[in-house]
Amino acid sequence: MSRIPRDPTERPARGAGKKQLRAAQAAPAQKETIIHGAVPSRDMLMRFIAENPQQASKREIAKAFGLKGEARVELKALLRSLEEDGLVEKKRKSLVRPGALPPVTVLDITIRDIDGELIGRPAEWLDDDGVAPAVLIRQSAVGKAKGKIPVAGLGDRVLAKIFPAKERGGPAYTARIIKVLDKRKDAVLGVFRATPGGGGRLLPIDKRGEEVLVDPEFTGEAKDGDLVEVHLARLGRYGLPRAQVQNIIGSVASEKAISMIAIHAHGIPHIFPERVLQEADAAEAATMAHREDWRSLPLVTIDPADAKDHDDAVHVEPDPSPDNPGGVIVTVAIADVSWYVRPKSVLDLEALKRGNSVYFPDRVVPMLPERISNDLCSLKEGVDRPALAVRMRFSKEGRKAGHTFHRIMMRSAAKLSYQQAQAAIDGAPDEKTGPILEPILKPLWEGYRILSRGRERRQPLELDMPERKIILKPDGTVDRVFVPERLDAHRLIEEMMIQANVAAAETLEQKRQALIYRVHDQPSLAKQESLREFLATLDISLSKGGNMRANHFNGVLARADGKPYETMVNEMVLRSQSQAIYSPENIGHFGLNLMRYAHFTSPIRRYADLVVHRALVSALGLGEGGLTPQEEGVLDDIAAEISTFERRAMAAERDTVDRLIAHHLSGRVGEEFDGRVSGVTKAGLFVTLPAYGADGFIPISTLGRDYFIYDEAHQALSGEKTGLGYRLGDPVRVKLAEAVPLAGALRFEMLSEGRKMPTAMRSFHKSGRRDRMNAGKRPGTRPPRGRR
């Protein structure tokens, strides 16, 4: 499997794109006016049923529209025609849209979104009618204060009132809890702390959690400091809950425990149910039915050296067509996961439940069992494997002349690492790459050079935000943190995958086939203005207007290239970007500067790609395993769900790294480090240690005895009396004052005196446009990080 570096603009979604929200906000103005006593149109009636499920009986509809006499007879005929057309269906005495949730539903609360809101699914939905819609659960703070609204948590089953969502881009429904039916029974994670005389307490790893008592007879073999899973044994009305230790994961000093904290804290499914494993084990190798035999084509896989599964292979050859002199044919073959993972199978439901694979320094939590991901769908060297392939023709200028999709049987000619392929091109081939250098590798690099011309013309956003990699020791602790070298081999695979993704979206659009796009909206006007104000402090201009393009930001990055503030500008441009999401509605991909884009190239590790594969199979008549009508009807819900799961995975990966680095540095409290200011807030400074990839906070109360003033435009804190301060991107010397591994938190003390703030900034402060911070009275709290 190719671990392609994530595009810097591919940030987790927080909501709908601007165009989607604009459309949603405009929708009410387009509604027909209700005329009391007049029979509504079909569209108006459908909208009323969708928005008012609790008033969707024939009697309530007639009452809502003020219908009497003959008008009621017309309404009855209209409702009958909607039923016959399959647009509504009768449930009990009410009419509902097919697949719609009833007004009151039993929900299982499964995850939290990035804002901490609970997300649930209908409890009995998946086994009956297909993919269950996601439901955002609202818990009113006012209601909780009065004790009128039950409070629920992850794992609870609740009876809830259902409402259609007012905003698009997230779950299709919201819910208000009526009653908690069943409190969570799954394992709770925490750190066991023994108490004198036996027994102990469980310290939560979740900041929202509470301590749990463990009686002596329920401690098992747990020792002080162990990370354990417990089951709640007894819940009393008063005092702390009590629990029984079920599983000892290990000492909190081990790296394994640290990644398990993230898995449990974010509710990531990490154990495959037995029936899922049984279905995977029973899968048989794909046949040649509906397939072309491409086993003689020397496709090769190029992946990280430690990759265990390989889901993409590439090949380039000169285009023999006289109409395309100097052009090339680029072939990308992707593992045919859709052949093995069929809609509504237990494998499929589990894959949707996970949404994607999650990567930690010591482990991978896969979307699919190893029998599928590492065996049947892994494009192993010299082994027959099924694949979906796209053959793309490019001119010598890098312009695409056409493409075709094929369902094939292939046989990988070689399994290579990025470093291995790059070394061969750079003149140091080994025993494996030597024989294929001329016939396979050099044509690949020629194809990459041609594709690069098209990329240069397209001008995607070119942020320079290197990703750090953590290397572990055999005992699971951190050995070192480094930035891997970015090779042409990485860029080659990335660009070929991008072109394959574009081809998939184009083909499905041409076939009028529903699909899930990967979309990335342009920055909001508010974010553009904030960035513009910041850049003005560096004498860098950013053009105004709503029609912003990626190359506008590239111009800004070019002006900062090589300057002391280069990293700072890259970070601020990144912060200004919108967040990439999955959506069945296309708004294009701003960061890549593409009109249409879909994820097609990693179906082993992303559910979105599996949906696109199924759509291609259906649209092109390529055999079994295509997209079903039921799936097409819930693509909105699937897109919202997998966008949420992507954010969950990224947060878990980030939290694990934070905890791991905090644990690594916990024995170095009191030492001094070179750092860089990576964030400025009213409460203090965030500082990054480049050598470790670690982030920590310096409360404003510890900066000195001066009044420090927050200047948002300049991203700075400056002392009112001394004029000394700190700005985003400044190099600083800090001392590690505290490390809290379980929380992944570091606190620093500032050693650098600070630099003289420009006169213009001090004049700005004195004009009264400031936010004064009294350093002697400001609490040293740690706010949410603004850097990521």
Side-chain angles (χ1 to χ4, degrees):
M1 180 200 66
S2 294
R3 292 286 286 131
I4 301 170
R6 192 179 286 120
D7 188 292
T9 65
E10 298 282 274
R11 301 175 66 196
R14 197 176 180 87
K18 181 175 62 181
K19 293 182 180 177
Q20 293 168 299
L21 289 177
R22 198 158 51 219
Q25 292 165 353
Q30 299 169 359
K31 290 184 180 179
E32 302 172 61
T33 303
I34 294 178
I35 301 176
H36 196 71
V39 178
S41 68
R42 286 168 64 96
D43 288 343
M44 183 183 292
L45 191 54
M46 291 286 292
R47 187 162 54 246
F48 179 87
I49 292 171
E51 295 177 353
N52 302 276
Q54 70 277 14
Q55 295 178 280
S57 67
K58 292 178 183 178
R59 176 179 295 180
E60 291 292 341
I61 293 172
K63 182 178 179 181
F65 288 91
L67 304 182
K68 298 180 180 179
E70 288 295 321
R72 286 200 174 209
V73 176
E74 289 184 46
L75 173 66
K76 185 176 180 179
L78 178 56
L79 291 173
R80 187 184 302 114
S81 71
L82 291 176
E83 279 190 81
E84 291 171 351
D85 292 342
L87 297 176
V88 299
E89 60 187 25
K90 186 177 292 184
K91 286 191 177 180
R92 297 181 179 176
K93 294 183 179 181
S94 293
L95 294 163
V96 298
R97 297 287 295 271
L101 291 181
V104 178
T105 301
V106 176
L107 302 174
D108 286 330
I109 300 175
T110 54
I111 61 170
R112 290 184 185 272
D113 66 12
I114 197 170
D115 298 316
E117 299 282 2
L118 296 172
I119 302 292
R121 287 174 177 268
E124 303 299 331
W125 185 276
L126 287 176
D127 293 332
D128 298 330
D129 303 307
V131 181
V135 182
L136 177 65
I137 297 171
R138 303 288 189 186
Q139 299 202 81
S140 169
V142 175
K144 284 187 285 186
K146 295 180 179 179
K148 295 180 179 179
I149 298 180
V151 178
L154 289 176
D156 291 351
R157 175 168 288 189
V158 300
L159 184 68
K161 185 82 170 177
I162 305 297
F163 306 92
K166 295 181 180 179
E167 294 184 356
R168 303 178 67 180
Y173 298 93
T174 62
R176 176 173 55 80
I177 297 173
I178 299 174
K179 181 181 181 181
V180 178
L181 300 177
D182 191 10
K183 297 299 290 184
R184 62 176 298 168
K185 294 180 179 178
D186 55 328
V188 177
L189 193 71
V191 177
F192 178 75
R193 292 300 182 191
T195 55
R201 293 193 174 204
L202 188 79
L203 303 182
I205 53 90
D206 186 348
K207 293 178 182 177
R208 298 184 179 93
E210 61 177 336
E211 287 190 16
V212 177
L213 288 177
V214 183
D215 291 327
E217 63 270 28
F218 293 141
T219 60
E221 301 296 323
K223 299 184 293 293
D224 186 73
D226 279 349
L227 184 70
V228 298
E229 287 180 330
V230 302
H231 281 241
L232 298 183
R234 184 170 72 253
L235 288 172
R237 210 167 188 187
Y238 304 102
L240 295 177
R242 297 176 183 270
Q244 179 175 359
V245 173
Q246 296 290 317
N247 184 30
I248 300 172
I249 296 172
S251 169
V252 290
S254 73
E255 195 281 333
K256 177 183 178 182
I258 291 176
S259 60
M260 283 302 297
I261 288 175
I263 288 170
H264 283 259
H266 292 276
I268 295 173
H270 66 290
I271 299 175
F272 286 106
E274 187 60 33
R275 61 184 185 141
V276 174
L277 296 174
Q278 290 173 355
E279 184 172 290
D281 290 339
E284 298 181 356
T287 66
M288 288 298 299
H290 301 284
R291 295 188 189 279
E292 302 173 42
D293 190 346
W294 284 22
R295 286 174 287 188
S296 61
L297 186 70
L299 289 150
V300 298
T301 62
I302 305 177
D303 294 293
D306 57 354
K308 295 182 179 179
D309 51 86
H310 312 274
D311 56 7
D312 58 79
V314 293
H315 178 265
V316 174
E317 60 186 329
D319 189 350
S321 172
D323 298 331
N324 189 23
V328 293
I329 296 176
V330 177
T331 299
V332 175
I334 306 298
D336 189 0
V337 179
S338 63
W339 177 263
Y340 295 102
V341 184
R342 301 296 178 89
K344 294 182 65 174
S345 66
V346 293
L347 272 172
D348 179 49
L349 297 179
E350 182 68 19
L352 177 57
K353 178 182 176 182
R354 294 170 179 239
N356 47 252
S357 298
V358 188
Y359 295 86
F360 298 104
D362 72 319
R363 74 179 78 202
V364 176
V365 179
M367 185 179 79
L368 296 167
E370 286 192 11
R371 167 67 172 157
I372 302 296
S373 61
N374 290 5
D375 185 8
L376 293 176
C377 288
S378 184
L379 306 181
K380 297 181 177 181
E381 181 179 335
V383 180
D384 291 358
R385 285 290 181 258
L388 279 182
V390 57
R391 178 170 282 173
M392 301 171 285
R393 297 174 58 239
F394 290 91
S395 70
K396 62 182 179 181
E397 291 84 16
R399 300 182 187 276
K400 190 169 69 174
H403 68 265
T404 55
F405 278 89
H406 310 260
R407 207 171 197 181
I408 68 169
M409 186 68 72
M410 61 162 284
R411 183 182 296 157
S412 171
K415 180 188 75 171
L416 306 176
S417 69
Y418 288 116
Q419 293 75 14
Q420 190 178 18
Q422 188 69 54
I425 289 295
D426 292 341
D430 58 20
E431 292 181 359
K432 177 177 284 190
T433 56
I436 65 174
L437 178 60
E438 293 294 333
I440 298 177
L441 294 182
K442 286 189 175 179
L444 273 175
W445 256 256
E446 176 59 26
Y448 166 58
R449 280 190 285 271
I450 287 176
L451 294 183
S452 295
R453 294 168 191 156
R455 180 183 177 93
E456 291 170 5
R457 185 169 51 252
R458 193 174 80 240
Q459 293 191 50
L461 184 59
E462 300 284 4
L463 283 167
D464 182 18
M465 301 296 293
E467 294 190 15
R468 287 174 173 80
K469 183 176 178 65
I470 295 177
I471 301 298
L472 301 178
K473 299 176 184 177
D475 64 358
T477 58
V478 174
D479 181 22
R480 60 192 175 98
V481 182
F482 74 105
V483 177
E485 183 183 3
R486 181 90 160 124
L487 304 172
D488 280 346
H490 294 103
R491 298 184 180 94
L492 179 152
I493 294 298
E494 180 177 348
E495 192 58 33
M496 291 183 180
M497 296 305 112
I498 287 173
Q499 293 300 328
N501 289 337
V502 172
E506 290 176 345
T507 292
L508 293 174
E509 276 196 359
Q510 291 165 3
K511 295 294 183 179
R512 300 185 181 277
Q513 170 66 56
L515 72 148
I516 291 178
Y517 294 91
R518 181 65 167 179
V519 299
H520 179 227
D521 205 358
Q522 67 177 358
S524 67
L525 293 177
K527 287 186 176 180
Q528 289 181 37
E529 188 58 34
S530 295
L531 177 63
R532 190 174 293 109
E533 290 181 3
F534 167 74
L535 293 174
T537 68
L538 302 174
D539 294 325
I540 298 177
S541 61
L542 178 66
S543 58
K544 289 190 175 183
N547 191 24
M548 187 71 69
R549 298 180 67 86
N551 62 348
H552 291 105
F553 293 100
N554 288 338
V556 168
L557 297 172
R559 290 195 60 183
D561 187 32
K563 303 292 195 306
Y565 46 77
E566 177 183 1
T567 300
M568 173 172 55
V569 170
N570 272 269
E571 288 180 350
M572 291 301 292
V573 169
L574 175 60
R575 292 183 194 183
S576 73
Q577 300 304 301
S578 300
Q579 298 161 327
I581 62 170
Y582 294 108
S583 171
E585 296 183 21
N586 184 31
I587 61 171
H589 197 293
F590 177 82
L592 294 174
N593 200 12
L594 293 168
M595 294 295 294
R596 53 194 59 82
Y597 191 67
H599 275 169
F600 160 75
T601 54
S602 293
I604 287 177
R605 66 184 179 95
R606 292 188 306 223
Y607 195 84
D609 304 57
L610 177 56
V611 171
V612 170
H613 275 233
R614 289 173 177 166
L616 287 166
V617 170
S618 296
L620 300 175
L622 298 179
E624 301 176 27
L627 196 66
T628 65
Q630 291 84 359
E631 280 186 292
E632 286 190 29
V634 291
L635 286 184
D636 271 308
D637 293 325
I638 292 175
E641 193 105 326
I642 60 181
S643 293
T644 299
F645 293 155
E646 179 188 43
R647 297 193 295 270
R648 176 181 69 182
M650 294 178 70
E653 292 168 2
R654 180 196 63 202
D655 289 353
T656 297
V657 171
D658 287 348
R659 289 188 176 104
L660 193 55
I661 296 297
H663 180 265
H664 179 55
L665 295 176
S666 61
R668 304 181 64 180
V669 172
E671 292 188 27
E672 299 180 6
F673 300 89
D674 289 320
R676 177 175 51 81
V677 177
S678 57
V680 183
T681 73
K682 296 178 180 179
L685 302 171
F686 291 99
V687 173
T688 295
L689 306 184
Y692 299 92
D695 295 294
F697 187 65
I698 302 178
I700 199 171
S701 60
T702 66
L703 284 179
R705 300 182 63 83
D706 204 348
Y707 286 98
F708 280 85
I709 303 164
Y710 173 55
D711 184 346
E712 184 177 7
H714 293 80
Q715 286 294 292
L717 287 176
S718 58
E720 184 181 47
K721 297 178 180 178
T722 63
L724 300 177
Y726 308 91
R727 195 175 184 187
L728 185 70
D730 282 354
V732 291
R733 187 75 174 168
V734 297
K735 182 172 72 173
L736 180 59
E738 183 182 9
V740 186
L742 283 182
L746 299 174
R747 182 171 61 84
F748 297 126
E749 292 179 2
M750 180 65 74
L751 300 178
S752 299
E753 185 179 2
R755 63 187 178 99
K756 201 73 173 178
M757 291 290 110
T759 304
M761 291 177 63
R762 297 201 299 274
S763 299
F764 175 84
H765 299 326
K766 292 179 181 178
S767 69
R769 295 165 59 198
R770 63 191 182 187
D771 190 349
R772 175 176 292 192
M773 295 297 162
N774 189 325
K777 299 180 181 179
R778 183 70 178 176
T781 56
R782 176 176 177 154
R785 290 194 307 184
R787 177 180 167 288
R788 297 185 186 236

